[in-house]
Amino acid sequence: RLKYAYGQFNFDDWTTKGSWVRFGLQQTPYIDFYETIYRYRFAGTIFVDREGFLTSSDLGASAHWNIPENFGDIHAGVYNGEGYANVEQNDQKSFQIRGTLRPLPMIAALRGLRLTGFYDDDHYVKDAKKQRFNALITYESPYLNFGAEYLKAKDQNASALKPVVEANGYSIWLTPRTSFGLEGLIRWDRIDPNDAQTARRQRFMAGPAYWFPVQKGVAAALMLQYEQLRYMGAPAQKPTEERWSLNALFNF
């Protein structure tokens, strides 16, 4: 499996540090950014990735600019739209842009607050919509990380003659933290896959985690996780799913 294979030209000498252009198989603007804040991909991907609305890597060209004085950043690009795990399906391209504002970087207690907007404009075939809009608020501090996300999606799968299916959903999570590596994760997701129908899903995740001290650049963590998935409003109601898991991360 090939997920990343790109060339990058840095503009550190011409503009703010961390500004660049990329060409090739690369990170898409939203998921890669979000996962630098939400550190628990090893226990389950973020909401829009897990529900299949966005992919974390795709073939394309993009540019990134850090706003001066640490006020945020902008990342935009043009991608194939199918993601790294699928072959090209059509001649349509996906335009994606994420803008993040850090409103108060000069105040220590509020430096970790960020407001993010993301838009993805794509098509399954010509004139058949595939659009996503995300609004995100996150906060990071030594003792608490927090995130709240809203998704609005429009899909006109396979044909422009079919009706547009509109979906929306929410995800809220927080991770209380200590100074000695012990953390907790509490997360609640809810997705309404079709506004014209009553079926919806709700996911709850929680558990303690321990992050070991970093040793020679190697990060490791263990998490005991409880997960509940409920199906609501469907004509044929599915039973509630519950599972326990022990998850491990080794990052080097």
Side-chain angles (χ1 to χ4, degrees):
R1 184 185 70 166
L2 186 63
K3 189 171 184 179
Y4 303 117
Y6 60 85
Q8 177 173 309
F9 187 85
N10 296 321
F11 289 103
D12 292 357
D13 294 335
W14 291 274
T15 183
T16 51
K17 186 176 181 181
S19 300
W20 40 256
V21 293
R22 285 177 181 168
F23 304 92
L25 192 60
Q26 58 182 285
Q27 295 92 337
T28 49
Y30 188 77
I31 292 179
D32 180 67
F33 159 78
Y34 196 177
E35 288 182 346
T36 63
I37 304 169
Y38 181 80
R39 303 191 300 162
Y40 286 87
R41 181 183 178 91
F42 70 97
T45 53
I46 65 171
F47 172 60
V48 291
D49 192 357
R50 190 157 187 174
E51 296 294 343
F53 288 99
L54 292 175
T55 182
S56 59
S57 175
D58 203 351
L59 186 67
S62 73
H64 178 265
W65 178 59
N66 273 334
I67 302 172
E69 306 298 330
N70 199 26
F71 274 96
D73 69 302
I74 299 172
H75 186 183
V78 178
Y79 303 86
N80 275 349
E82 277 72 36
Y84 70 95
N86 301 294
V87 298
E88 178 73 344
Q89 300 290 328
N90 54 50
D91 60 352
Q92 304 298 304
K93 301 302 175 186
S94 168
F95 171 73
Q96 302 182 28
I97 182 168
R98 175 188 57 80
T100 296
L101 172 66
R102 194 190 297 268
L104 297 166
M106 71 295 292
I107 301 176
L110 297 176
R111 187 175 299 142
L113 176 65
R114 284 188 271 190
L115 309 175
T116 296
F118 170 80
Y119 180 66
D120 178 6
D121 185 29
D122 195 3
H123 297 82
Y124 290 97
V125 294
K126 186 177 179 180
D127 298 326
K129 292 181 179 181
K130 183 183 179 183
Q131 297 176 340
R132 282 88 177 94
F133 169 76
N134 291 74
L136 172 68
I137 179 171
T138 56
Y139 178 73
E140 299 170 89
S141 74
Y143 300 106
L144 179 70
N145 286 359
F146 165 82
E149 174 184 21
Y150 170 75
L151 164 74
K152 183 70 175 179
K154 294 182 179 180
D155 291 277
Q156 210 167 358
N157 202 342
S159 172
L161 300 177
K162 291 189 175 181
V164 176
V165 175
E166 298 191 21
N168 68 80
Y170 310 83
S171 179
I172 301 171
W173 60 269
L174 59 89
T175 55
R177 309 173 67 188
T178 68
S179 59
F180 51 87
L182 185 64
E183 297 186 11
L185 171 66
I186 302 171
R187 172 174 154 184
W188 177 76
D189 299 348
R190 180 168 173 152
I191 180 69
D192 184 350
N194 189 339
D195 286 352
Q197 300 177 2
T198 59
R200 55 195 185 277
R201 295 188 300 275
Q202 179 174 293
R203 176 179 288 107
F204 174 76
M205 299 164 53
Y210 180 73
W211 292 78
F212 295 90
V214 176
Q215 300 288 337
K216 297 181 180 179
V218 178
L222 285 175
M223 179 183 178
L224 178 64
Q225 178 184 344
Y226 168 75
E227 181 175 343
Q228 181 192 76
L229 181 62
R230 293 180 59 200
Y231 300 87
M232 299 173 292
Q237 186 86 15
K238 296 182 180 179
T240 297
E241 301 174 15
E242 294 183 310
R243 58 183 64 89
W244 289 87
S245 62
L246 181 63
N247 307 298
L249 168 72
F250 299 95
N251 191 356
F252 55 90

